[in-house]
Amino acid sequence: MIKTAKQTLALLAGLGVGLTVSTSAMSATSLDQVMKDRGLTQKDLLAAAKTYTPTGGRDEYLAFASGGQSGQVIVYGIPSMRILKYIGVFTPEPWQGYGFDEESKKVLRMGNIQGKEINFGDTHHPAISETDGEYDGRYLFINDKANPRVAVIDLHDFDTKQIVVNPVFKSQHGGAFVSENTEYVITAAQYATPYENKFVPLEEFNDKYRGGMTYWKFDRKIGRIQEDKSFTVMAPPYSQDLSDFGKGPSHGWSFTNSFCSERYVGGIEKGRPPYEAGCSAKDTDFMHVVNWKKAEEVYKAGKVKKINGASIITMETAVKEGILFLIPEPKSPHGVDVTPDGKFIIVSGKLDSHTSVYSFDKIMTAIKNKKFESKDPYGIPIISMKDTLHTQVELGLGPLHTQFDSKPCVAYTSLYVDSMVGKWDYCKGKVLDKISIHYNIGHLMTMEGDSKSPDGKYLVALNKLAIDRFNPVGPLHPQNHQLIDISGDKMQLLYDMPLPLGEPHYVVAIKADKLKPVNRYKSGWNPREDKRSPYKTRAGREKTVKTPGKVEVFGTTIRSHITPETIEAEVGDEVIIHLTNLERAQDQVHGFAMYGQNVQMSLEPGKTSTAKFVVDKEGVYPYYCTEFCSALHLEMQGYLLVKPKGYKAKKGKMQEGVSYTQADYEKQVKTNIETQAVIDSVVGFITSHNYQDFKPVVALVEDATDQLGFAEEAKKKSEVAAAKKDWQNAMLWANQWWQYQVKTADMGLRAKTYLEEHGAKKVK
Ligand code: RUQ
Ligand code: CUA
């Protein structure tokens, strides 16, 4: 039983330990005592030791989970299961400024459907780009089922760069999955619809409604999907489900399930039995086997039909060219997974307790010998199940998805109805182990489990229901990702992680050291387009340009001020604010939010972002930095003043809150001289060490040098004012000089600590 802190204290009191127990006495509690207090077993401790990551520790794997209906991607570490980031993809995400600055709005709006803004996504399957069948850690793809879209996330900065809309599908579940060298990203339709954007009565379902598989061409050099080089293989209205690409010997082929080859159309309201009855009536559905290499040739030869601007390989062409084949598979299947060696395709039927292993070799033999058992109503050849099956294994109820171990022939399959994971040997067709999960597992995932060489080690069970696993938080429960140790013969459950952000259908995990994300941008960078922003502004070059009907600001942010601190506009003006974050040190982010304008930018070091809006009401609109960036973060503020049309400024002096004297000025200067001495000693320490060998320190030193430069300018301004006996400005500029010194010292000390902690060597 887990005890609250209060209960623990009460317990200690009961044992005669005073309630004035000091923290040091608390931390001296023995392990035995903690186990007793929290009701933990040896097994629990072992599990804890396998996941616990001490402060500053890193995870061995990074997982990218779909965020389900949130339209985002969730990044977490394995084995700690600590959430590291939510990446805004199909949904605005204010923290990242995603959907609030002009640069990211452009990306989000690529996802408009027939001109309509869509502000969510039902993300399903993330896929990491591959080179030679291995995760290369460069890009992440994810599909949206509700609106047939795919997004490209660059893992260089974990930002969404592109959204493409499928021009012919109206729903899209079976993706994203990538081919061996990320030549293509596949997505399959789910609910059949007419390809054209027009009305077709349901009575014409068999003739006019279609499914299909789209092959999105990915250009690795530019990191974008090329819609004009992508094509779709049209398929019957069979409700295509998941897909997977072949690898190794099966490279060049892809496989897609279907779950309603009955082509049933429901209509409860008209007295027809519902879809669920009609779509599960037959004993088998069809696996679609596609020769995509051949399809690519056919596409390149121009043997396509154009619909809504997309290139479509019709079923007729697909049959004639030997591109599309069908194989029966057990009742309403769900997952289709190609084994790491590319020799087998594993299919699980939700309504059949068997998991079927198809042999790619046998499929090829049947195709070569034109040995088909029949044709479907569209003339597509059907290869018989028994000619292509390698084996079938009775694993348990409701098998769904399969992932692989580093050990040859070992696979893990989720058993939805049984709420279990089954470990089995797909070569010999033998069950090896089973473990219960909580509850109703959907997908499951092993480390690099989709690649040619899975790492094994851990498995994550993505459970559809959490029921009673966590503290209740109302009727909508968090999802439950369970971490399972698969390094031994027996699976061991280690940890339950609640995920409170939509239903994450699938997740992929990559060895963390394969990822090389940057922690700052080149200065003046537009990350959404990966190029220098034309609005990049350097320190001292800030300006506001007023033209009729428009105010355009070229500003900067640096600890701890936004330049400009006042923006003036007239009612009806369009206000455009470009801000460049001048910081170069790691994690030195500024934000920018404004009252009443739906503006929130995230300015990571080096980034340039733009906010654009029309001010239709006069008034005073404060703006400020939204990241607690420094001791004077709250002072990182300013005002947008929107004046009525034709407003004439009254002559008047600024009302000062405090008047400063010569004595105030001199006192400040004295402080500044003392501060400079501290800075000099820190600089002395840094420059006398090999600090250039430490990248984060170099960035800190660059920033500190900038700040020191600003300090020098402020110092000069205070001296000019002092010479004029303008003590007000002399004192304020002297204080600003000190502010810059403080920031210099802060960064200098961070650099010094880093050098000390990382064993820097003395060089002079
Ligand atoms: S699905 S629970 Cu959307 Cu991948 Cu299978
Ligand atoms: Cu910048 Cu707070």
Side-chain angles (χ1 to χ4, degrees):
M1 197 184 79
I2 292 169
K3 289 198 169 62
T4 62
K6 226 179 180 171
Q7 284 173 308
T8 310
L9 283 177
L11 198 98
L12 289 172
L15 291 171
V17 182
L19 279 178
T20 48
V21 139
S22 73
T23 46
S24 67
M26 290 286 275
S27 57
T29 323
S30 71
L31 187 57
D32 279 349
Q33 191 61 49
V34 173
M35 284 174 71
K36 217 165 113 197
D37 291 349
R38 301 196 65 213
L40 301 174
T41 64
Q42 284 267 359
K43 216 174 131 208
D44 295 334
L45 283 205
L46 193 60
K50 285 182 181 181
T51 62
Y52 177 69
T53 305
T55 179
R58 300 281 178 92
D59 278 298
E60 192 181 353
Y61 291 91
L62 278 202
F64 296 87
S66 110
Q69 305 90 322
S70 79
Q72 301 180 2
V73 163
I74 307 160
V75 186
Y76 61 80
I78 294 177
S80 78
M81 306 303 268
R82 294 178 299 184
I83 294 177
L84 301 172
K85 195 167 205 173
Y86 297 121
I87 305 173
V89 185
F90 298 108
T91 308
E93 203 295 296
W95 174 48
Q96 292 152 50
Y98 185 64
F100 297 89
D101 63 59
E102 291 304 306
E103 291 80 1
S104 63
K105 263 190 218 168
K106 244 181 163 173
V107 177
L108 194 61
R109 296 283 76 94
M110 289 177 197
N112 288 8
I113 300 285
Q114 295 190 45
K116 197 169 257 184
E117 287 191 7
I118 306 287
N119 285 320
F120 89 106
D122 185 16
T123 57
H124 272 245
H125 307 104
I128 295 171
S129 57
E130 292 180 15
T131 301
D132 199 21
E134 301 291 349
Y135 294 177
D136 58 30
R138 281 294 293 117
Y139 300 96
L140 184 83
F141 307 92
I142 190 154
N143 73 312
D144 172 14
K145 169 173 168 172
N147 297 284
R149 303 179 291 179
V150 185
V152 180
I153 297 159
D154 193 333
L155 295 177
H156 159 87
D157 59 1
F158 287 49
D159 259 5
T160 303
K161 308 286 173 165
Q162 185 187 25
I163 294 175
V164 293
V165 179
N166 196 308
V168 290
F169 296 169
K170 311 289 183 281
S171 93
Q172 175 184 267
H173 179 254
F177 301 98
V178 301
S179 57
E180 208 169 74
N181 285 299
T182 324
E183 296 96 337
Y184 288 96
V185 180
I186 191 174
T187 57
Q190 185 128 77
Y191 307 116
T193 53
Y195 273 20
E196 293 81 7
N197 298 329
K198 63 176 196 194
F199 166 74
V200 177
L202 280 168
E203 285 75 8
E204 295 172 33
F205 189 82
N206 293 357
D207 295 342
K208 303 269 179 68
Y209 284 55
R210 291 291 174 261
M213 287 72 67
T214 298
Y215 296 81
W216 298 97
K217 180 79 195 144
F218 184 65
D219 185 328
R220 176 180 282 281
K221 261 198 235 106
I222 56 169
R224 300 290 186 274
I225 283 172
Q226 295 184 292
E227 293 169 84
D228 57 349
K229 295 204 170 102
S230 305
F231 58 89
T232 294
V233 176
M234 192 185 259
Y238 292 161
S239 299
Q240 281 75 26
D241 201 24
L242 285 177
S243 309
D244 203 2
F245 270 104
K247 37 171 97 76
S250 51
H251 179 61
W253 292 77
S254 69
F255 311 90
T256 301
N257 278 339
S258 61
F259 63 75
C260 192
S261 59
E262 291 88 346
R263 296 182 293 171
Y264 184 72
V265 179
I268 310 181
E269 69 295 335
K270 292 180 188 144
R272 282 176 67 80
Y275 281 98
E276 57 174 322
C279 283
S280 58
K282 273 201 322 170
D283 280 343
T284 54
D285 285 288
F286 289 123
M287 170 157 68
H288 299 52
V289 178
V290 177
N291 183 343
W292 66 258
K293 277 270 190 206
K294 185 82 211 197
E296 183 184 49
E297 280 169 30
V298 165
Y299 157 72
K300 283 185 178 158
K303 295 181 209 166
V304 293
K305 191 173 161 188
K306 289 275 179 188
I307 304 178
N308 296 345
S311 299
I312 313 296
I313 298 178
T314 62
M315 293 192 285
E316 211 190 340
T317 307
V319 171
K320 201 168 87 198
E321 303 281 348
I323 290 170
L324 179 59
F325 305 89
L326 301 170
I327 308 178
E329 48 186 7
K331 221 178 174 83
S332 305
H334 189 45
V336 57
D337 297 282
V338 175
T339 57
D341 58 14
K343 289 184 184 161
F344 301 104
I345 302 112
I346 297 177
V347 171
S348 306
K350 305 187 284 283
L351 301 180
D352 189 290
S353 53
H354 290 93
T355 295
S356 308
V357 183
Y358 291 84
S359 152
F360 180 71
D361 250 6
K362 289 183 179 179
I363 297 172
M364 286 303 107
T365 308
I367 292 174
K368 207 162 74 219
N369 299 335
K370 297 204 165 37
K371 187 160 185 263
F372 306 124
E373 64 176 23
S374 59
K375 280 180 180 169
D376 84 336
Y378 303 91
I380 305 167
I382 302 174
I383 311 170
S384 89
M385 183 167 14
K386 81 173 187 320
D387 283 350
T388 49
L389 265 188
H390 166 69
T391 182
Q392 277 190 318
V393 184
E394 181 131 20
L395 264 183
L397 298 181
L400 294 184
H401 298 284
T402 299
Q403 283 266 298
F404 303 95
D405 204 329
S406 53
K407 299 169 199 109
C409 299
V410 176
Y412 301 86
T413 297
S414 51
L415 303 168
Y416 177 81
V417 179
D418 274 345
S419 283
M420 293 186 110
V421 172
K423 176 180 179 180
W424 57 294
D425 182 318
Y426 60 83
C427 299
K428 296 198 194 102
K430 202 171 81 192
V431 180
L432 302 172
D433 185 27
K434 279 195 186 182
I435 190 171
S436 291
I437 58 81
H438 313 280
Y439 303 90
N440 295 95
I441 179 171
H443 275 274
L444 76 185
M445 183 269 301
T446 57
M447 303 303 100
E448 305 209 346
D450 280 336
S451 73
K452 262 187 180 171
S453 60
D455 288 6
K457 293 191 182 184
Y458 303 102
L459 180 147
V460 176
L462 283 75
N463 306 329
K464 297 297 184 195
L465 303 181
I467 308 181
D468 57 2
R469 305 320 285 177
F470 307 111
N471 293 52
V473 289
L476 186 60
H477 292 42
Q479 306 290 325
N480 185 11
H481 281 201
Q482 290 189 300
L483 182 69
I484 296 166
D485 179 354
I486 54 167
S487 56
D489 288 339
K490 289 256 157 224
M491 294 179 270
Q492 189 201 350
L493 180 61
L494 299 180
Y495 193 72
D496 284 14
M497 175 177 66
L499 264 187
L501 196 85
E503 186 197 320
H505 294 261
Y506 187 43
V507 54
V508 282
I510 181 172
K511 199 97 204 288
D513 60 16
K514 285 190 182 174
L515 298 167
K516 307 261 181 292
V518 289
N519 56 39
R520 62 170 173 172
Y521 290 113
K522 290 178 200 154
S523 82
W525 205 247
N526 169 359
R528 302 291 169 180
E529 288 182 11
D530 291 320
K531 61 180 191 207
R532 195 87 62 189
S533 167
Y535 312 117
K536 168 188 171 173
T537 304
R538 281 190 281 164
R541 302 285 173 81
E542 299 89 350
K543 61 180 181 191
T544 298
V545 182
K546 177 100 184 75
T547 50
K550 191 163 114 181
V551 176
E552 189 163 11
V553 175
F554 298 81
T556 59
T557 60
I558 193 159
R559 276 157 292 169
S560 305
H561 54 261
I562 300 163
T563 308
E565 296 193 331
T566 336
I567 304 170
E568 296 179 42
E570 255 186 25
V571 168
D573 280 351
E574 179 182 42
V575 178
I576 304 171
I577 303 171
H578 311 288
L579 288 176
T580 298
N581 185 0
L582 301 173
E583 309 279 357
R584 288 182 276 187
Q586 169 157 307
D587 205 12
Q588 213 58 67
V589 178
H590 299 289
F592 181 86
M594 184 184 283
Y595 164 74
Q597 304 294 352
N598 203 30
V599 166
Q600 152 57 20
M601 296 196 257
S602 169
L603 298 154
E604 296 102 64
K607 182 165 155 185
T608 297
S609 278
T610 300
K612 203 191 244 183
F613 51 93
V614 173
V615 284
D616 40 23
K617 290 203 174 71
E618 69 164 73
V620 174
Y621 299 78
Y623 55 82
Y624 67 98
C625 167
T626 47
E627 287 270 342
F628 208 109
C629 53
S630 55
L632 291 167
H633 149 78
L634 296 175
E635 291 78 354
M636 212 164 159
Q637 59 165 344
Y639 289 104
L640 165 70
L641 304 165
V642 181
K643 304 173 210 172
K645 273 227 175 323
Y647 175 83
K648 288 265 173 307
K650 297 182 195 95
K651 280 237 166 64
K653 260 180 76 187
M654 196 65 88
Q655 298 171 337
E656 298 292 352
V658 180
S659 305
Y660 297 104
T661 61
Q662 182 173 2
D664 292 323
Y665 167 69
E666 279 161 3
K667 190 171 152 223
Q668 184 64 55
V669 171
K670 190 167 164 270
T671 308
N672 295 5
I673 289 165
E674 285 161 10
T675 308
Q676 194 56 45
V678 177
I679 293 172
D680 291 345
S681 86
V682 175
V683 169
F685 178 91
I686 296 169
T687 52
S688 66
H689 287 76
N690 59 335
Y691 79 94
Q692 264 138 338
D693 297 340
F694 302 87
K695 246 181 144 185
V697 173
V698 173
L700 282 168
V701 169
E702 283 171 354
D703 266 10
T705 312
D706 284 351
Q707 292 279 350
L708 212 51
F710 300 141
E712 193 54 38
E713 285 168 33
K715 177 172 182 257
K716 277 194 197 118
K717 284 180 184 160
S718 79
E719 284 163 357
V720 169
K724 292 188 205 151
K725 298 201 183 330
D726 171 3
W727 303 117
Q728 189 73 13
N729 279 309
M731 158 58 195
L732 289 169
W733 279 117
N735 188 43
Q736 183 58 36
W737 159 21
W738 185 67
Q739 293 305 337
Y740 284 126
Q741 286 182 313
V742 169
K743 280 165 266 197
T744 310
D746 172 47
M747 280 178 282
L749 287 169
R750 263 161 67 189
K752 181 170 177 256
T753 311
Y754 189 98
L755 292 175
E756 284 165 349
E757 283 175 358
H758 291 78
K761 281 193 279 300
K762 228 177 148 76
V763 287
K764 57 181 175 189

